[in-house]
Structures are given as C-alpha cells and as structure tokens.
Amino acid sequence: MELFDVYPRFNITPVSAEGCWITDVKGDRYLDLYGGHAVISIGHSHPKYVRNLTTQLHKIAFYSNSVQNPLQEEVAAHLGRASGLETYRLFLCNSGAEANENALKLASFHTGKSKVIAFKNSFHGRTSAAVAATDNPAIISNLNAVHQVTFLPLNDVAALENALSKKDISAVILEPIQGVGGLEMAQTSFMEETARLCREHQAVFIADEVQSGFGRTGAFFAFQHSEAAPGIITMAKGMGNGFPIGGILIHPDIKSSPGLLGTTFGGNHLACVATLSVLNVLEQEQMLPHAAQMEGVFRTLAEGIPGLKQVRGKGLMLGLEMDFQVADLRKKLLYTHRIFTGNSKNKNLLRILPPLRIEEKELQLLFSALKKELL
Ligand code: PLP
C-alpha cells in the first residue's frame, strides 16, 4: 500500500532529537528553528517529559471520558494558574482543528446563531467549520462551503462593527498573530474592540491560540498582550510538545450541559501528562520571559542582513520578511547549513518557530548561514 500523496516532503528522515537539535538517519544533526510547525515548546525529548510519559504509560495510557480522570482536573488547575484565566472552564480534545470546530459549534449553541466572521489570510484547520473559516478556497470542499463565513480585513474596526450590527453573527474567530497567513498581527486595540463589539452584539469572540499559545509569544496567550477577554480560547500545538492534544477555554457565561461536546481520545491520561509536563517545564525553566528576551536577541542579530525588509512577529513566533521569495534560501538553509525553518502564505517570509529553550548561540548559527548565502 502507498501513502495518500498530500504532503510535499523534504528529503530528510529524522530518527532522534534532543532540545533544539534533530538527528537524521545518516547521523547528521540539524538545528530545529521550525519546531515541527510550532509544536515543540519545551524542546525535543525533554528528560522530565520523557520520564513522566514513560511512568504514565506503565500505569494507564487511556480510558474514555466515561470515568473520573483527576489528571484532567490537574491540567485545568495548572492551566488556570499559568494563564491567569482561572474562571474559564476547560474542554480537552486532540488537535487545533478540533479545538476550533468545537469552539465554533459551542458559539452557535450558545447564541442560537450560525454565521461566522473570520479574517483575510486566516488559517483555522481542516475540519468542516474550521476549514470554512480558513481563507484558502483550495482546501474548502463543497461540503464545507455550507458554513456561512464572511472574511473581513484584519484590524478594520468599522468593517467588523458593520458586520456585527446585523445581529446574526454567532462567532468572530481571530488569530492574534496569523501563523500560516504570514505573521500579520491583530492590533491590541483591534482585539479589545472585537471583544467589546462581540459582547454588544451577542456574538462569541474566539481567540485561536493554536499556534500562538503556550508561551510562544512571551505571554501565555498572545491575546494577553492586550486587555481583551475572549469568550473562547482555542489551543493545541505547543500544549503537548508533540503529543497530540488540544483544548478550549470557555468563559463562565457560556453554559455546559451533558453531551453538548464530546470526544473519545480527548484528555486521555497520556495526553494530560504531556501537557502537565509542558506546564511544569515552562514554569520551572522560566520559558515565557526567555521567549520575550530571545525576540530582542533575534532582532539585534537580524540587523544588516542583506535583503531584509523587516522582522515580523513576537516572542519566538518570528519571521524575516525579505525583498525576494525565500523558497530557495530555505532549501539552502536546510540542505547546506542543516537548519530547519518555516514558510507561510507570504512567499517572502522565512518563519522561525523554535523550541522556546533556544539560545543566542543557536540563533547565531542562522544568521551566520544567512550572511554566507546573502552577502
Ligand atoms: N489554528 C491555527 C492558528 C493553526 O496554525 C493551525 C495549524 O497550523 C490550526 C488551527 C490547525 O491545527 P491542527 O493542524 O492541529 O488541526
């Protein structure tokens, strides 16, 4: 049997990894400035993560949500403390798309309405409602297109107010910093206005923190660089450091009832231990302030790079916007300099999403490689 051919893949076969480094099948080492698409938060094979998951595997790996699972309550309590969002409630699932799917569904249950506002260049995942709220017609099938989604320009308060004033909007879904879209940032004032207008017009403000959450931008969630209070916050990626887990945080105004949401695998024992390990290491190793500090280091190192238009992003969700398309440069970084980087919808943007433990000396390797290629 062959694999269904949907992924363009690099010709590299990782077999092990540690911290910010990946080793391939030939024994060559690569610097991981991509984190498997912002997934590796505390670093590959962190000893505490490995130990905790191994111990849990020997106890019980999985049981369904038909029984008590105190690990889920531990995750909720720790997440509340770490994010400062103690009054929200937690629903656990398995991925970013599933988190957004549940958030959009819950908003519709809560408001009794079904229309959604999303933003130009958004990416929210590939399940039915999540993909319909994604600004990429190539991945939306006729089956998904039944969802009624309007795409507005980011940071346009007047357009948002006008759309919400019709009173038929169930949810506004927004990435505080667009990932796949190319690191376009929602202004803090725009997020605050979105929260206010959603309250005024009985819509739910969903902050999609699947990529920007869990400390990546130096705050626990990226919306927390503003004063906005979303109705629902979605998360995944860095939450499990590679173990599949997602979740949504739900404002106390939104009511639950038995059977409203559900999943077989969501919040299983191993997944909870993965997230608890991430939360503990983020705290113990002070990774949020470290991410904020590394942004400054990165910006300083980037000064004077030929062809650089601007550094985009926040914390360790960063990108170098060049005055040329970066596809070839990205290949050279990988095959010649053994450095993983990311791309986006913006063809001129080289994306940097490293594990949050990245150090200056590792970032320097990127910039000396860039100088060799560009000077
Ligand atoms: N939302 C955002 C902002 C993302 O960047 C992604 C994935 O890249 C998703 C949702 C979908 O997450 P997943 O691939 O885990 O379904």
Side-chain angles (χ1 to χ4, degrees), residues 46-363:
H46 192 288
K48 288 183 182 157
Y49 178 85
V50 173
R51 194 182 58 227
N52 293 345
L53 275 167
T54 311
T55 307
Q56 186 61 40
L57 192 53
H58 285 288
K59 292 190 198 163
I60 179 170
F62 169 83
Y63 207 78
S64 79
N65 284 303
S66 60
V67 295
Q68 302 293 322
N69 181 351
L71 289 168
Q72 294 186 357
E73 271 126 52
E74 252 187 81
V75 171
H78 200 147
L79 200 47
R81 267 201 321 281
S83 64
L85 299 170
E86 273 103 343
T87 58
Y88 284 62
R89 283 138 319 133
L90 171 67
F91 174 75
L92 290 166
C93 56
N94 307 286
S95 70
E98 199 187 335
N100 286 330
E101 196 75 20
N102 278 294
L104 290 163
K105 189 203 279 188
L106 191 54
S108 180
F109 276 133
H110 176 67
T111 60
K113 301 184 271 190
S114 56
K115 292 188 180 168
V116 169
I117 290 173
F119 294 92
K120 296 257 157 61
N121 293 323
S122 59
F123 184 87
H124 297 294
R126 291 171 183 268
T127 57
S128 189
V131 81
T134 289
D135 184 19
N136 181 357
I139 63 169
I140 302 177
S141 76
N142 288 340
L143 179 65
N144 315 126
V146 295
H147 298 284
Q148 302 166 69
V149 182
T150 306
F151 293 94
L152 298 181
L154 192 63
N155 295 324
D156 186 338
V157 177
L160 181 64
E161 185 155 24
N162 181 42
L164 279 167
S165 66
K166 299 183 183 102
K167 304 267 181 212
D168 58 356
I169 301 296
S170 145
V172 177
I173 183 162
L174 171 141
E175 293 158 88
I177 302 179
Q178 292 184 335
V180 176
L183 298 177
E184 294 296 336
M185 321 244 306
Q187 291 158 358
T188 53
S189 58
F190 184 70
M191 286 190 279
E192 288 156 10
E193 279 299 284
T194 302
R196 187 185 67 74
L197 288 167
C198 281
R199 268 195 307 280
E200 189 178 320
H201 297 290
Q202 291 84 47
V204 177
F205 171 23
I206 301 171
D208 178 347
E209 295 270 1
V210 166
Q211 191 164 147
S212 54
F214 269 73
R216 178 141 299 275
T217 70
F220 196 87
F221 291 115
F223 80 83
Q224 292 176 313
H225 295 290
S226 77
E227 300 291 318
I232 301 180
I233 300 137
T234 63
M235 60 206 155
K237 293 196 187 285
M239 185 176 185
N241 197 49
F243 199 97
I245 181 166
I248 68 179
L249 296 184
I250 304 151
H251 190 275
D253 286 352
I254 300 175
K255 299 283 168 274
S256 60
S257 64
L260 196 67
L261 305 178
T263 152
T264 298
F265 294 119
N268 68 70
H269 299 69
L270 279 178
C272 284
V273 167
T275 295
L276 285 170
S277 307
V278 169
L279 288 166
N280 279 321
V281 172
L282 287 178
E283 195 172 280
Q284 285 157 6
E285 300 188 21
Q286 295 281 299
M287 284 188 177
L288 274 60
H290 181 72
Q293 192 200 339
M294 283 299 111
E295 177 192 341
V297 168
F298 185 91
R299 286 181 181 276
T300 306
L301 289 171
E303 280 166 20
I305 291 293
L308 177 68
K309 272 173 70 185
Q310 60 171 323
V311 177
R312 284 186 170 275
K314 201 152 183 62
L316 285 171
M317 186 169 177
L318 291 169
L320 297 170
E321 187 170 22
M322 311 303 288
D323 61 12
F324 57 89
Q325 298 204 350
V326 297
D328 286 343
L329 177 62
R330 204 173 151 232
K331 276 193 201 140
K332 282 191 186 130
L333 285 171
L334 188 62
Y335 293 123
T336 310
H337 301 279
R338 297 194 182 137
I339 300 176
F340 275 90
T341 55
N343 60 356
S344 76
K345 203 167 175 177
N346 177 348
K347 301 262 176 287
N348 290 14
L349 190 73
L350 190 70
R351 277 216 295 156
I352 309 295
L353 301 159
L356 302 182
R357 59 183 325 98
I358 195 87
E359 295 291 346
E360 177 164 359
K361 61 180 185 312
E362 290 161 332
L363 290 177

